Amino acid sequence: MAPSTETLTAERILEATEEVLRRHGPAKATVVDVARALGVSHGSVYRHFRTKAALREAVTQRWLDRTAKALSGIVAEDRDPQERLLDWFSALFAAKRHKAGDDPELFATFMVLTGESSGVVDDHIADLTGQIAAIVRDGVARGTFATSDPVVAARALFQATGRFHDPCYAREWEQPGIEAEFDALLELVLRGLRA
C-alpha cells in the first residue's frame, strides 16, 4: 500500500467509504477496504471514526444530509407557502427517486445502513418535519394555512406522503401513474391545510 500524500480528513474517509460500500456492499465492506482505497493504514481511519459502526453511521448521516440540505433552500425562500410546500414535497420525491433509480446498488446498501442507524434516521426525519413545520408556520402567519399546531400538521403531512419518500416504497416509484397519484395526494392534503 503506497502512502497517501493528501491529508486524511473525515470527508475523504466518508467519500472512500461510500465507494467501498458501492463496490462490496454492506456485508463485505470493511475498514481495511476503506483504508486500502485511501492508501493509509486502518488505524488512520480509526483515528477519525472510533468503530466500524461509527463510520457506517457517519456515511449514512452524510447521505441523508444531502437531501435535507437541498430541501432547506426551499424552506428559506420568501414566496407563497403553499407553492413552497408543493415544491418541497416534489423535491423530496424527486431526490428519493433519483437515489433509488440512478444507483440502485448504493441505494440498497443505504437501506441496510439506515436500518442499522435508527438514531440517525430519527434525526433526519425530525429535521425534515421541522422544515415542513417552518413552511406551515409561515403559511399560518400569512393566512394561507389554518392549523393550531404547525408541528403536528407537519408530522401528519410527512406521514401522509410516506409512499412517495419512504424507501420501503421505492419499487412503486417508477410505476405508471405515480406522478398523478402524488399530485392528487398533495392537492388533498393542501386543501385540508388551507385557511
Side-chain angles (χ1 to χ4, degrees), residues 10-22 26 29 34 49 51-67 99 106 109-114 116-117 120-121:
E11 185 62 24
R12 277 193 60 224
I13 293 169
L14 293 174
E15 287 171 6
T17 302
E18 196 168 291
E19 285 306 312
V20 167
L21 285 165
R22 181 180 281 116
V34 173
F49 299 97
T51 65
K52 178 181 177 180
L55 176 59
R56 289 165 72 105
E57 193 167 280
V59 80
T60 303
Q61 178 77 51
R62 179 178 184 256
W63 189 66
L64 294 173
D65 284 351
R66 288 180 193 139
T67 301
K99 285 180 178 181
L106 191 60
T109 293
F110 278 108
M111 288 287 292
V112 170
L113 295 182
T114 56
E116 295 173 357
S117 305
V120 170
V121 173

Side-chain angles (χ1 to χ4, degrees), residues 78-97:
D78 184 21
R79 60 187 179 95
D80 178 58
Q82 182 171 295
E83 291 300 317
R84 276 189 294 150
L85 200 55
L86 282 169
D87 289 348
W88 190 95
F89 277 107
S90 295
L92 177 62
F93 185 30
K96 296 292 182 153
R97 286 177 82 182

Side-chain angles (χ1 to χ4, degrees), residues 79-158:
R79 60 187 179 95
D80 178 58
Q82 182 171 295
E83 291 300 317
R84 276 189 294 150
L85 200 55
L86 282 169
D87 289 348
W88 190 95
F89 277 107
S90 295
L92 177 62
F93 185 30
K96 296 292 182 153
R97 286 177 82 182
H98 172 72
K99 285 180 178 181
D102 292 354
D103 198 343
E105 294 83 13
L106 191 60
F107 186 77
T109 293
F110 278 108
M111 288 287 292
V112 170
L113 295 182
T114 56
E116 295 173 357
S117 305
S118 63
V120 170
V121 173
D122 292 345
D123 291 347
H124 176 66
I125 291 170
D127 183 13
L128 295 182
T129 56
Q131 290 185 22
I132 299 167
I135 297 172
V136 171
R137 202 173 288 114
D138 185 43
V140 169
R142 293 181 190 215
T144 304
F145 299 143
T147 180
S148 60
D149 192 334
V151 173
V152 170
R155 279 193 223 116
L157 287 165
F158 190 78

Side-chain angles (χ1 to χ4, degrees), residues 18-37:
E18 196 168 291
E19 285 306 312
V20 167
L21 285 165
R22 181 180 281 116
R23 276 194 313 253
H24 301 292
K28 295 182 181 177
T30 67
V31 174
V32 172
D33 294 326
V34 173
R36 190 175 299 121

